Amino acid sequence: MSLEASIARLLRLGVYLSMTLLAAGVIALLAAGISPLAGAPPLDPAAFAADLVDLRPDNLLWLGLLVLVATPSVRVLAALVGYLRSNEPRMVAVSLLILVVIAASIALALIVEP
Amino acid sequence: MVIALLLIAGGAAAGAFGSLLGLGGGILIVPLLTLGFGLPLREAVGVSLISVIVTSGAAAAVYLERRVADLRLGMTLELFTAAGALVGALIAFLVEERLLAALFAGLLVYSAMSMWRAGRRKGGAPDGVTGYVVRNRGRGAVASVGAGVVSALLGVGGGLVKVPVMHLVMGVPLRVATATSNLMIGVTASAGAIVYLARDGIDPYVAGPVAVGVFVGASIGSRAAHRVPLPQLRILFVAVLLYSAVLMIRRALAVG
C-alpha cells in the first residue's frame, strides 16, 4: 500500500472514530436534557480517565474532540515513518518540523498567559 | 433539546452548502454561531476550527486515494501554515472581538467577490493532475504563513488564500491546488484548535452537535452536487455572504 493510501485510511479512521464519539456525546447530551448553551464543564485531565467509564456527555464530547484534533498529527507521524523508510531526508525533516510546531502550540498555549 | 437539534441542523446546512459551493464550512459556521446563536465571536471561531478539521479530514482521504492531493507539497507548505496558525491563535486571544468582527466582515466580502467571479468564469481549460513543476516555493511559504494566521484568527480553512497562490504563483494545476489545500487544513486548523482548546476557547457542548451536523451535511452535499442548480445557488450565497458581512460590520461598530 502506498504512503498516500495508508494516510488516507488513517484520516478516515480518525474522522469516523471522533464522529462516533461526538455523536454518542450528543445523544447523551440530548438524553440528559442539557442545553448546549449551558456551557460544558472544563476538561479535567486528572479525573478524565476515571470519569470516562461513566459515559457522561461532556467526557464523550471531550474525547471525540481530542481524537479529532490529534488525527492530523497522527497523520504527520505516519508520514514521518513512511519517509524514514523510503529514505527521503528532506521530507523527514519537514515532518519532524511540523510536529515541533504542533508541540510548540501545545506548550505556548499552556505557558503564555492571554 | 431544541437548541442541540438546531445546532446539528445549522452545522448540516453549513456542511452541505460548503461542499456544494467549494467553500470551507468555516465561512458559514462563524456567522451562523455568532449571528444565529449569539455566541461570542472567538468561541464561534474555535468551534469552526473543529468543523473544518472534520470536513478536511474526510475530503483529504478521498483526494489522497485518487492521487489528486500532493502529499509532499502539502506537508512542506503546512509547516508554514501551522506556524502561522500558532501565531494567529495567540493573536486571537489578544485582540478585541470587534476587531475580529471587522476582519471577518472583510473576509466575507472577499469570499463573496471570489464566488461571484468564479461563477462568471467560462469553464477553464481542463488541467491534469501530474507533470507539473512547482515554482516559487519561497513565495508559497510566505503566503502559507499568512493563510495560517487567517485560519486560526477567523476559524476558516484558508483555501481562499492557498488555492490561488498554489495555482497562480506556484504553477500547480487547479484541481491539485484545491485538493492539496484541503489536505493542509487538518494540520493547520489543529495547530490553531490546540491553542483554543488549552484556553477553554472551545465549548464541547456546542462543538459536538455542530461537528456532527457538518459531517452529515458535507457527506450529503458531496453526493448531491450534480443535482443542484449551482449558478442560482452561487448567487444566493453571494447575497448571504454580503448580508452576513453587513451584520458583522454592525457588530464591529457596536458600542462594546
Side-chain angles (χ1 to χ4, degrees):
Chain A
M1 190 161 44
S2 73
L3 182 58
E4 278 81 359
S6 17
I7 286 180
R9 183 180 282 189
L10 200 66
L11 278 174
R12 220 170 247 137
L13 184 73
V15 171
Y16 287 157
L17 180 61
S18 64
M19 281 303 122
T20 308
L21 288 163
L22 288 177
V26 171
I27 291 166
L29 194 67
L30 287 170
I34 303 169
S35 164
L37 300 182
L43 179 64
D44 179 3
F48 189 66
D51 283 351
L52 202 59
V53 279
D54 299 346
L55 299 180
R56 283 201 337 240
D58 53 308
N59 283 327
L60 288 167
L61 292 170
W62 273 119
L63 191 63
L65 290 183
L66 292 178
V67 169
L68 182 68
V69 170
T71 297
S73 303
V74 175
R75 185 258 281 173
V76 176
L77 208 59
L80 172 66
V81 174
Y83 288 126
L84 273 171
R85 280 197 192 139
S86 60
N87 200 15
E88 290 183 63
R90 203 180 74 86
M91 289 312 297
V92 168
V94 166
S95 314
L96 278 174
L97 285 171
I98 296 172
L99 292 173
V100 168
V101 172
I102 303 264
S105 79
I106 298 174
L108 277 173
L110 295 174
I111 295 163
V112 182
E113 285 299 313
Chain B
M1 176 92 181
V2 178
I3 293 172
L5 296 177
L6 282 176
L7 283 171
I8 296 173
F17 289 120
S19 73
L20 282 174
L21 297 164
L23 287 171
I27 195 110
L28 302 174
I29 287 162
V30 173
L32 174 81
L33 292 178
T34 49
L35 307 172
F37 290 88
L39 244 67
L41 189 63
R42 198 177 297 118
E43 277 181 34
V45 168
V47 173
S48 183
L49 282 174
I50 293 296
S51 308
V52 297
I53 301 176
V54 174
T55 45
S56 125
V62 177
Y63 286 136
L64 279 171
E65 273 165 359
R66 293 188 190 157
R67 298 279 181 155
V68 189
D70 185 331
L71 184 62
R72 285 179 183 78
L73 174 65
M75 289 191 66
T76 308
L77 291 180
E78 78 191 359
L79 172 57
F80 297 93
T81 57
L86 172 52
V87 175
L90 292 173
I91 295 173
F93 283 86
L94 295 174
V95 299
E96 260 193 74
E97 286 236 349
R98 288 164 63 186
L99 178 62
L100 289 178
L103 290 172
F104 204 92
L107 184 70
L108 284 164
V109 172
Y110 181 73
S111 310
M113 280 163 51
S114 32
M115 194 185 282
W116 180 255
R117 262 183 273 135
R120 294 170 73 87
R121 199 183 298 142
K122 300 245 157 51
D127 53 359
V129 295
T130 50
Y132 55 92
V133 178
V134 180
R135 297 179 270 124
N136 299 322
R137 284 177 185 269
R139 283 162 71 190
V142 172
S144 296
V145 174
V149 173
V150 172
S151 164
L153 200 55
L154 301 178
V156 294
L160 222 50
V161 179
K162 286 177 292 181
V163 174
V165 168
M166 274 191 267
H167 183 50
L168 301 173
V169 179
M170 304 183 75
V172 177
L174 192 57
R175 276 180 63 203
V176 179
T178 309
T180 306
S181 161
N182 207 300
L183 171 72
M184 288 157 65
I185 289 171
V187 166
T188 314
S190 73
I194 286 168
V195 176
Y196 283 82
L197 275 175
R199 294 191 168 171
D200 288 330
I202 296 175
D203 187 336
Y205 282 1
V206 179
V210 174
V212 170
V214 165
F215 180 68
V216 173
S219 313
I220 295 170
S222 61
R223 283 173 182 79
H226 56 284
R227 283 181 232 155
V228 177
L230 280 180
Q232 286 90 323
L233 194 64
R234 200 168 264 140
I235 291 167
L236 174 69
F237 264 79
V238 168
V240 169
L241 292 175
L242 288 176
Y243 178 65
S244 309
V246 171
L247 295 180
M248 278 289 173
I249 291 167
R250 275 179 48 187
R251 208 180 168 94
L253 296 177
V255 184

